Amino acid sequence: MSDIVIRVENLGKRYEIGHLDPTGYRTGLRHAIQDALTAPFRRLTGDRGSEASRKRAAREVFWALRAIDFEVRRGDVVGVIGRNGAGKSTLLKILSRITEPTIGRIGLKGRVASLLEVGTGFHPELTGRENIYLNGAILGMSRAEVKSKFDEIVAFSGVEKFLDTPVKRYSSGMYVRLAFSVAAHLEPEILIIDEVLAVGDSEFQKKCLGKMRDVASDGRTVLFVSHNMAAVAALCSETLLMDRGGLHFAGGVEAGITAYRNLVSSQVDRWRWSSGPGREIGNERIALRAVTVEPVDPMQDRESTSTALKVVIDYEVLAVLSGVTPFLFLVDDLGTEIFNSVDLPSAVATPDRFLMGDLQPGHYRSVCTLPGDFLNEREYGIKVGFNTSGTHFEFVSREILRICFAQTQTMRAEYSGRWPGMIRPRLGWVSAPRCSEDVSDLHERTERGDARIS
Amino acid sequence: MTEDSGRKRSPAPASGPKGSPEDAGFDIWLEAGRTEKHYWRDLWRYRELFAILAWRDVAVRYKQTVAGAAWALLQPFLTMVIMTFVFGRVAGLPSQGAAPYAILVFAGMLPWQFFASSLSSSSQSLVGNANLISKVYFPRMIVPVSAVVVACIDFLVSFLILAALMLWYRFCPDTRILLLPAFVLLAFLASLGPGLILTALNVRYRDFRFVIPFIVQFGLYVSPVGFSTEVIRNRFGETGVLLYSLNPMVGVIDGFRWAILGGESAIYFPGLVVSLLTVTILLVLGIWYFRKTERTFADVI
Ligand SMILES: Nc1ncnc2c1ncn2[C@@H]1O[C@H](COP(=O)(O)OP(=O)(O)O)[C@@H](O)[C@H]1O
Ligand SMILES: [Mg+2]
């Protein structure tokens, strides 16, 4: 008999994003009072309000969750996956009653405990012992419950020696271990965990995953957000794949992970990106039209790391602009920037290039070449942006296209296999017995090309 | 704290069409604008968290500043000395009956100090615990109430000064002092109402924190701290006193004086009733406004 412990019906959550004023407050008291005081007069005079107050009234609304329906059975371990901003944390916050839904409803059966952050409420001035009680109470344990599990918690965390030290003196590792140990001893019927395992060292993470597996095998229901697909595959029986506030997929783990992978990779174009309705990039001065990565020599294979590539950037200038400077970023698969390259007019020997002068509105093209034997056998993303007047920043795109080099495991001399590193440049190497003749000769031999290159 | 989960264990059909009448199988339904049916029971359930948060604030305060306790004593004492000097000597305001002027001032100082510090600490309490609010569920009212309780502890500490003053002046209170706890409770409730309103406002309008010190400053001069309500009566008559009693702290402070000074100090009942009414209205308003806004705290904090 399957027993539903969570039922979500047509759930939606709307946030109002107040216009942030420069002081960083969402809503100014002064503005609220001013609006309230002038409102009756505006009604009298038929005035629709000052420009500023109308702007304030035009709050942006944003649906962080839309039309979500699902059910969770007792004892299920559900992996909640999806890209950043998909609405995973918002869903968990509603489930744990921190915030309420805008529409729809959720039925819950049994005691719910949630762990949205490790060490919520830990106070740096208090000792480890005091924080165990404090954090336990915050997570919903009674004092008696914490007391009876105290020794277990301490043993699990491995910080026995520092129990009476204020946690501000703890290393961050110790802090996380203690915090997680408290949470690991919660015994609710439904456990809700946001992406908290991202912190802590890998050994401790393993321990925590083990603990979670125990929790699950006790027949408790677990909802667990993670970006770590290995952990999801190992722990979960079901998945909920969220995308832009909607539920994209609900079902078994393997299918869920596959759907997640497809979603993540379909997000960006490969090799070529072009603008179109709903995918414009730019501002009112410059608009990006297309970006293509192609081999310099059309006969060569673009997916081979030894091929020289060119990045062709087509764009439209919409106003008279001076010093238009395109640039690009190469990023790795996690979005970390590997390098930035700029078409800086002043950095080039020929000073009278057209970019130095004023550009009339029209279509332009810039080309950047990436040498062969430079990138590695992996996936990269490209972001493109523009400056004007030398250093005035206009915009930079998100990662608009990806390029991927096949793992051909091309031999380089004796070595075949995966090459470590973000990039794989081919550099000159010379090795010889250390004597003066060879060293002075080194540069010359490299230039002539008879040094070994690897 | 376990909800009675096993209560209805009818062999519920696992998944029926939406909205089918199997709602009873769930312990709780979360939906928009759900009025918390068991608000007060829930608050009672979270009493341990309440106690531990209050304890945390006291512990941290007294740990951080070695002089924490000393400061709690010193601040009202110094204010009392200055007030005694300014009002008693410079302005020449009269005392009440046989009681020394210093004790008169201090008996007013005590509840005022409590009111001021609970107002400022409770109004900052939610914002100061923003992390908790956005990461865990509990009845939000716990936070400002525990801030008021913390202020209450400082208040009880400063009773020591009062005792010392009485010894110094060889002043013996009569049996009325036994009614003091009732006025302590009144002071607590009088602080709680405005505290709840200001806390909730402060979450939404952060610039409110600039208003609070002003309220406290201003309140000190319009409350009978440095003088007795008699002064008002002599200048403005009965109606004056009634109007003056709209300030809830008038009833509280007069009550304190009545209980502590004993002897000739009399309590003016219509005034006390007016103050009680204001306290009640503010408290009801505070609870209403707090409950109305608390659902969105996590979104805007
Ligand atoms: N309190 C809030 N006010 C306004 N927008 C919010 C708030 N909390 C989250 N959001 C927005 O809701 C979206 C979903 O956020 P979140 O649930 O944290 O995503 P995830 O956890 O999947 O990365 C994001 O675009 C985020 O900016
Ligand atoms: Mg998140």
Side-chain angles (χ1 to χ4, degrees), chain A residues 22 26 54 104 132-133 158 163 320 338 349 370 403 411 432 451:
Chain A
R26 279 160 208 267
R54 216 165 10 196
I132 290 178
Y133 281 98
L163 264 188
V320 179
I338 299 170
L370 295 169
I403 52 179
M411 290 251 294

Side-chain angles (χ1 to χ4, degrees), chain A residues 341-364:
Chain A
S341 178
V342 185
D343 185 15
L344 262 187
S346 53
V348 183
T350 49
D352 57 347
R353 291 173 63 253
F354 84 100
L355 292 178
M356 288 289 276
D358 284 349
L359 286 195
Q360 295 303 316
H363 292 267
Y364 295 90

Side-chain angles (χ1 to χ4, degrees), chain A residues 13-18 26 62-65 80-93 194-195 225 227 242 245, chain B residues 298-301:
Chain A
K13 175 73 186 176
R14 184 184 61 207
Y15 282 122
E16 279 176 26
I17 312 163
R26 279 160 208 267
F62 170 74
W63 286 89
L65 291 177
V80 181
I81 53 182
R83 287 171 298 149
N84 280 334
K88 306 180 294 294
S89 300
T90 306
L91 176 65
L92 299 200
K93 276 188 183 173
D194 205 344
E195 224 176 314
V225 170
H227 280 292
M242 311 272 307
Chain B
D299 296 345
V300 297
I301 206 156

Side-chain angles (χ1 to χ4, degrees), chain A residues 118-300:
Chain A
V118 167
T120 304
F122 259 48
H123 200 291
E125 295 291 335
L126 300 179
T127 65
R129 182 190 305 276
E130 290 166 336
N131 268 307
I132 290 178
Y133 281 98
L134 176 63
N135 193 234
I138 286 170
L139 294 174
M141 286 193 243
S142 69
R143 192 179 161 77
E145 215 177 330
V146 179
K147 209 170 202 160
S148 68
K149 290 184 189 147
F150 191 84
D151 294 335
E152 250 181 276
I153 293 174
V154 173
F156 189 83
S157 70
V159 299
E160 293 92 339
K161 278 191 230 134
F162 306 96
L163 264 188
D164 294 306
T165 312
V167 298
K168 66 179 174 190
R169 306 238 170 79
Y170 280 28
S171 71
S172 63
M174 283 159 65
Y175 184 94
V176 167
R177 296 156 85 93
L178 183 63
F180 200 91
S181 305
V182 181
H185 290 81
L186 280 169
E187 284 183 351
E189 277 117 37
I190 301 174
L191 181 60
I192 291 177
I193 306 176
D194 205 344
E195 224 176 314
V196 290
L197 288 182
V199 290
D201 54 88
S202 62
E203 196 180 323
F204 190 68
Q205 275 182 24
K206 256 185 223 141
K207 207 167 158 186
C208 294
L209 289 176
K211 185 81 192 174
M212 276 178 58
R213 203 170 290 138
D214 294 349
V215 169
S217 62
D218 271 6
R220 273 189 272 271
T221 312
V222 183
L223 254 76
F224 149 68
V225 170
S226 180
H227 280 292
N228 179 349
M229 290 304 132
V232 171
L235 282 174
C236 302
S237 52
E238 303 283 320
T239 48
L240 293 173
L241 172 57
M242 311 272 307
D243 186 39
R244 277 169 285 180
L247 187 60
H248 189 77
F249 170 89
V253 188
E254 265 150 53
I257 292 177
T258 310
Y260 173 75
R261 293 245 155 86
N262 289 339
L263 189 71
V264 170
S265 57
S266 73
Q267 193 48 37
V268 284
D269 300 291
R270 285 175 188 269
W271 300 101
R272 177 176 168 81
W273 172 90
S274 60
S275 105
R279 37 189 285 156
E280 293 89 359
I281 291 178
N283 58 18
E284 63 287 349
R285 290 143 65 84
I286 303 177
L288 199 57
R289 292 297 175 217
V291 180
T292 314
V293 180
E294 56 194 31
V296 173
D297 171 1
M299 299 309 291
Q300 277 183 316

Side-chain angles (χ1 to χ4, degrees), chain A residues 9-167:
Chain A
E9 294 176 1
N10 188 33
L11 180 72
K13 175 73 186 176
R14 184 184 61 207
Y15 282 122
E16 279 176 26
I17 312 163
H19 288 278
L20 296 177
D21 66 32
T23 48
Y25 298 122
R26 279 160 208 267
T27 338
L29 170 66
R30 193 159 41 82
H31 291 156
I33 292 176
Q34 187 184 319
D35 284 356
L37 290 182
T38 54
F41 298 104
R42 283 206 302 274
R43 212 169 302 144
L44 279 180
T45 58
D47 179 8
R48 303 278 299 282
S50 68
E51 181 63 25
S53 70
R54 216 165 10 196
K55 237 189 223 154
R56 283 195 298 278
R59 293 266 194 99
E60 238 174 278
V61 294
F62 170 74
W63 286 89
L65 291 177
R66 267 171 295 128
I68 309 267
D69 284 280
F70 65 87
E71 284 176 341
V72 175
R73 277 163 303 169
R74 179 169 315 221
D76 276 353
V77 180
V78 182
V80 181
I81 53 182
R83 287 171 298 149
N84 280 334
K88 306 180 294 294
S89 300
T90 306
L91 176 65
L92 299 200
K93 276 188 183 173
I94 297 175
L95 283 168
S96 38
R97 295 171 72 182
I98 293 164
T99 179
E100 64 167 18
T102 311
I103 54 166
R105 58 177 198 162
I106 296 179
L108 293 172
K109 212 182 284 183
R111 180 181 164 192
V112 178
S114 57
L115 181 63
L116 302 192
E117 180 190 60
V118 167
T120 304
F122 259 48
H123 200 291
E125 295 291 335
L126 300 179
T127 65
R129 182 190 305 276
E130 290 166 336
N131 268 307
I132 290 178
Y133 281 98
L134 176 63
N135 193 234
I138 286 170
L139 294 174
M141 286 193 243
S142 69
R143 192 179 161 77
E145 215 177 330
V146 179
K147 209 170 202 160
S148 68
K149 290 184 189 147
F150 191 84
D151 294 335
E152 250 181 276
I153 293 174
V154 173
F156 189 83
S157 70
V159 299
E160 293 92 339
K161 278 191 230 134
F162 306 96
L163 264 188
D164 294 306
T165 312
V167 298

